[in-house]
Amino acid sequence: MSFLRRRKAPVNVTPPDSDHEEEKKEKKKEKVKTKNEKSKKWSCVDSCCWFVGFICSVWWFLLFLYNAMPASFPQYVAKAISGGPSPDPPGVKLRKEGLMANHPVVFVPGIVTGGLELWEGRQCADGLFRKRLWGGTFGELYKRPLCWIEHMSLDNETGLDRPGIRVRPVSGLVAADYFAPGYFVWAVLIANLARIGYEEKNMYMAAYDWRIAFQNTEVRDRTLSRIKNNIELMVATNGGKKVVVIPHSMGVLYFLHFMKWVEAPSPMGGGGGSDWCAKHIKAVMNIGGPFLGVPKSVSGLFSIEARDIAIARAFAPGFLDKDVFGLQTLQHLMRMTRTWDSTMSMIPKGGDTIWGGLDWSPEGYYNCSAKKLKSNDTYRASPNDKENLEFMKNVNYGRLISFGKDVAELHSSKLERLDFRGALKGRNLANTSTCDVWTEYREMGIEGIKAVTDHKTYTADSVMDLLHYVAPKLMKRGGAHFSYGIADNLDDEKYKHYKYWSNPLETTLPKAPDMEIYSMYGVGIPTERAYVYKFNPQSECNIPFQIDTSADGGNDSCLKGGVYSVDGDETIPVLSAGFMCAKGWRGKTRFNPSGIRTYNREYDHAPPANLLEGRGTQSGAHVDILGNFALIEDIIRVAAGASGEDLGGDRVHSDIFKWSEKINLKL
């Protein structure tokens, strides 16, 4: 009966046709309304996905257009915009002058610009054998970021491979011709050398694993031995002509280490004898060399920051510190990069003698308000023109790190500082058990962090103590491979150890009087020199110190966004790139006993005149300078047989000689 009632009820209450139509209309309206409400819901993830998709689509579309257009089209448009023909590339120009391939050429790439590939990995890296983990498209970074970080990290105790992981440098010219698709490193220089007859038989890329300490590249990969053998082979197969070596960035320090290693007796050295460099090397043309270190390396080791990252953190506070999609970005990067011992090769060398103290620095007064004009303009303002003297202000560049803008500006007599060196590392930060990413800051505790900030400011001397305090494991490994002082007596037996070989202030150049050494670098770009920091109170799992981007000195100040700038190539200050060739090695000195001729060649930065110029043919930026036509022309002329005197000797736009004279260094 109950079943009959259930079946019967609908029949008795069946509405007329008109009611059915109204019901259908109501349901249709409800569906439309629901659909509209859903369409109005838009999450942050949707926005990010659409933004990334839009950027990628535009990028691939532009890349397609670039590859589809005729090769002559950019030159045609550039000619129409500038009103004149584009200049010939240096290789074409010099080929017309009759220059041909002569001396073999060796490239030595710098940090991060050389490709690295996987030879053995963990389960998460299945299918990646001999695929690039560094360089190329960086596809695996986006697909499996934590796996990528695991494989790019080295052992925190040894600084070598972690168990079950082998990442090795890519070999050949392709190792560093392009960093990523469309982003050249050595490609433009290689192409111009090819125009006068160079090819792989007389060009060699001395690729190495830029993550590990210089001596360990020999211990693990026999890289130094392979460089030695390749240079000897190139000299022997090219009629005995010596090589022209072209190191860039950290590769400058790596090759400095090589020149000592190759002549040192085995087993520590290569056993080539004291005249090996004299027999095999015509010239060393260093590009953007951090001979005396880089202040940027201090901020990188201290808080994994530079100017750009600090600005990003200011726009999105906490975003890079938080666990976003399972990745605490800055903490993971700090853990990874603190296993890369090579980064310690670029810590500032020479202490306060070179970089300045609490109240002085070699640069002293510098005009940060000078504006650079574009490359097709006829006049380019010098950063220290006499008419701009009124804009120059004294800056305490010697204070590499200051906690607070007022601390950075006060005279040392008014500073109240507490010594952190004897401070005990106290209670752990609260709730650190919930932090997934380990950094050494978690072991410092509240008292240790407070001791660092109470010291107020740090010069090049005290920065070393600071890094030993906040990163003891890193600095313990680094102390076995690198040194940062100034030698009192270079005849002391201790300086025969490899830890001193990459510091030009604690070693001597080879006895090769016919060899030439060039320091070639960009100028005219604000370059990081010192930093204003602040304590990050929300530091349970975060890095407790960060650059204070609110610290700003005004329109004409050298202080912008917590960073004091000076003249340089955007990465290497002029002082570091130019001092050794301007003074330390100039003539016969205790660092240059055979009187190797040295030259400073500066390239005044000019931004590209239009978008079709790409990264510019007159750029002085740290990597973009490898596409600078003037620099490429200098290199080709020397490779073809010219000397530094044939190039005109020094070419200087900065005050490097004046600054060098202010440094009281025993020569």
Side-chain angles (χ1 to χ4, degrees):
M1 292 297 289
S2 62
F3 172 76
L4 289 174
R5 282 195 295 271
R6 284 197 300 271
R7 297 281 296 171
K8 199 171 182 180
V11 177
N12 292 335
V13 295
T14 303
D17 292 340
S18 59
D19 292 340
H20 272 297
E21 290 175 5
E22 287 180 10
E23 261 187 43
K24 288 179 182 179
K25 288 179 181 179
E26 289 296 326
K27 287 180 180 179
K28 191 174 181 181
K29 287 179 180 178
E30 286 179 9
K31 285 181 181 179
V32 172
K33 186 177 179 182
T34 304
K35 188 176 180 181
N36 290 336
E37 287 176 354
K38 286 182 179 179
S39 65
K40 289 178 182 178
K41 292 179 180 178
W42 191 263
S43 68
C44 179
V45 175
D46 294 323
S47 301
C48 291
C49 290
W50 274 99
F51 178 73
V52 171
F54 173 75
I55 294 297
C56 291
S57 300
V58 171
W59 170 254
W60 286 113
F61 177 68
L62 292 174
L63 201 61
F64 168 76
L65 288 180
Y66 179 79
N67 287 288
M69 72 173 66
S72 60
F73 183 73
Q75 289 87 347
Y76 171 78
V77 176
K79 179 180 177 180
I81 293 174
S82 62
S86 299
D88 283 334
V92 174
K93 172 187 173 183
L94 298 179
R95 179 67 179 263
K96 291 177 180 177
E97 292 182 15
L99 271 66
M100 298 294 292
N102 190 0
H103 293 273
V105 172
V106 178
F107 308 110
V108 187
I111 193 169
V112 310
T113 54
L116 300 174
E117 60 187 19
L118 183 70
W119 280 80
E120 181 185 1
R122 306 263 171 91
Q123 186 176 358
C124 67
D126 285 348
L128 297 181
F129 176 67
R130 293 212 63 199
K131 298 287 180 65
R132 287 202 184 196
L133 291 187
W134 188 272
T137 62
F138 285 91
E140 300 312 315
L141 169 59
Y142 309 121
K143 294 176 185 176
R144 28 190 159 183
L146 295 179
C147 181
W148 179 83
I149 285 177
E150 181 182 7
H151 285 75
M152 284 297 298
S153 299
L154 296 166
D155 187 273
N156 201 40
E157 299 295 332
T158 66
L160 294 169
D161 294 325
R162 302 174 75 186
I165 295 176
R166 282 186 295 149
V167 175
R168 297 293 182 264
V170 177
S171 59
L173 295 178
V174 296
D177 55 352
Y178 286 91
F179 176 67
Y183 191 91
F184 72 82
V185 183
W186 294 93
V188 177
L189 177 56
I190 291 171
N192 278 278
L193 283 165
R195 291 179 186 274
I196 67 165
Y198 280 91
E199 49 192 282
E200 287 210 67
K201 69 181 181 183
N202 48 14
M203 282 195 293
Y204 166 59
M205 182 71 71
Y208 60 99
D209 189 338
W210 43 261
R211 299 172 302 161
I212 63 180
F214 299 160
Q215 190 70 7
N216 276 343
T217 63
E218 175 65 15
V219 171
R220 195 193 73 178
D221 301 335
R222 299 291 181 263
T223 302
L224 298 173
S225 292
R226 288 189 287 111
I227 294 173
K228 174 179 180 282
N229 294 338
N230 274 288
I231 290 177
E232 289 173 346
L233 178 63
M234 292 174 78
V235 171
T237 56
N238 284 275
K241 294 173 182 175
K242 300 177 187 179
V243 299
V244 172
V245 184
I246 311 169
H248 173 247
S249 190
M250 191 184 76
V252 168
L253 302 179
Y254 186 71
F255 195 75
L256 197 62
H257 180 98
F258 170 83
M259 287 194 293
K260 296 300 292 185
W261 172 88
V262 74
E263 295 191 343
S266 59
M268 187 181 295
S274 59
D275 60 350
W276 191 94
C277 291
K279 289 179 178 178
H280 294 89
I281 302 174
K282 166 184 162 52
V284 183
M285 307 190 77
N286 302 289
I287 304 174
F291 289 106
L292 301 178
V294 190
K296 186 183 284 190
S297 68
V298 175
S299 64
L301 293 171
F302 188 53
S303 64
I304 200 66
E305 284 184 297
R307 188 200 313 268
D308 297 337
I309 293 178
I311 292 172
R313 291 181 81 176
F315 275 110
F319 180 82
L320 293 175
D321 299 301
K322 291 180 180 176
D323 190 359
V324 181
F325 303 119
L327 180 65
Q328 290 171 306
T329 310
L330 289 181
Q331 290 89 329
H332 277 293
L333 287 175
M334 175 170 278
R335 185 180 66 174
M336 178 177 70
T337 56
R338 280 194 175 184
T339 67
W340 297 350
D341 290 351
S342 65
T343 58
M344 288 177 282
S345 70
M346 293 184 288
I347 292 174
K349 302 174 178 70
D352 293 1
T353 300
I354 299 294
W355 295 94
L358 289 174
D359 295 315
W360 82 279
S361 65
E363 297 96 332
Y365 292 84
Y366 178 70
N367 176 23
C368 294
S369 66
K371 304 296 183 183
K372 299 299 295 180
L373 303 182
K374 294 184 178 180
S375 59
N376 61 350
D377 292 324
T378 56
Y379 169 78
R380 290 191 293 275
S382 168
N384 285 317
D385 281 343
K386 291 181 179 179
E387 59 268 26
N388 292 323
L389 283 172
E390 66 270 17
F391 294 109
M392 297 184 192
K393 298 177 182 178
N394 190 33
V395 180
N396 295 329
Y397 287 121
R399 304 182 190 188
L400 297 184
I401 289 178
S402 300
F403 280 91
K405 179 186 172 185
D406 54 338
V407 171
E409 296 174 346
L410 276 177
H411 190 273
S412 60
S413 61
K414 299 179 181 178
L415 285 175
E416 296 180 5
R417 306 162 70 202
L418 298 178
D419 194 352
F420 70 95
R421 295 173 184 86
L424 296 175
K425 296 183 179 181
R427 293 176 290 110
N428 286 336
L429 296 172
N431 299 324
T432 53
S433 60
T434 63
C435 303
D436 294 330
V437 182
W438 174 90
T439 66
E440 289 178 288
Y441 282 131
R442 287 174 55 187
E443 299 179 356
M444 285 179 59
I446 298 171
E447 286 82 358
I449 290 171
K450 187 175 185 299
V452 170
T453 59
D454 286 345
H455 192 66
K456 304 292 187 183
T457 187
Y458 298 84
T459 64
D461 281 343
S462 54
V463 152
M464 295 304 303
D465 296 324
L466 172 66
L467 292 177
H468 277 284
Y469 186 77
V470 302
K473 288 185 178 180
L474 174 81
M475 296 304 291
K476 182 180 178 182
R477 292 197 318 272
H481 289 277
F482 303 105
S483 183
Y484 312 98
I486 300 174
D488 291 326
N489 178 16
L490 286 165
D491 294 326
D492 193 319
E493 286 294 310
K494 76 174 184 178
Y495 292 112
K496 292 182 179 179
H497 192 274
Y498 60 76
K499 68 182 285 184
Y500 301 101
W501 291 349
S502 61
N503 181 0
L505 300 174
E506 293 183 302
T507 190
T508 58
L509 290 176
K511 293 179 180 178
D514 294 332
M515 194 170 83
E516 295 181 328
I517 293 182
Y518 298 78
S519 187
M520 313 168 81
Y521 51 92
V523 296
I525 308 178
T527 302
E528 297 174 40
R529 178 66 166 81
Y531 302 88
V532 175
Y533 267 85
K534 66 179 180 180
F535 169 64
N536 178 13
Q538 299 175 344
S539 55
E540 289 180 1
C541 296
N542 302 337
I543 298 165
F545 311 112
Q546 67 182 75
I547 294 174
D548 185 1
T549 54
S550 67
D552 200 288
N555 293 334
D556 298 324
S557 173
C558 293
L559 175 62
K560 300 286 184 185
V563 179
Y564 282 102
S565 298
V566 75
D567 197 8
D569 69 358
E570 203 169 32
T571 297
I572 314 295
V574 165
L575 186 68
S576 180
F579 173 79
M580 290 309 298
C581 282
K583 182 175 181 179
W585 290 331
R586 186 58 62 109
K588 280 193 177 184
T589 70
R590 65 192 185 106
F591 305 109
N592 181 14
S594 64
I596 294 173
R597 286 163 294 173
T598 63
Y599 301 97
N600 286 68
R601 302 284 291 177
E602 295 184 347
Y603 302 86
D604 200 14
H605 174 72
N610 53 67
L611 290 175
L612 292 173
E613 233 183 71
R615 287 151 62 192
T617 59
Q618 298 180 44
S619 176
H622 187 61
V623 177
D624 296 354
I625 196 174
L626 290 168
N628 184 299
F629 278 12
L631 177 136
I632 293 173
E633 182 174 332
D634 286 348
I635 290 173
I636 292 177
R637 289 189 183 279
V638 172
S643 67
E645 292 301 320
D646 296 330
L647 297 184
D650 295 319
R651 182 177 65 187
V652 173
H653 300 279
S654 73
D655 289 326
I656 182 58
F657 287 105
K658 183 173 75 174
W659 295 339
S660 297
E661 286 305 311
K662 293 181 181 179
I663 295 174
N664 185 19
L665 179 68
K666 175 186 171 185
L667 297 176

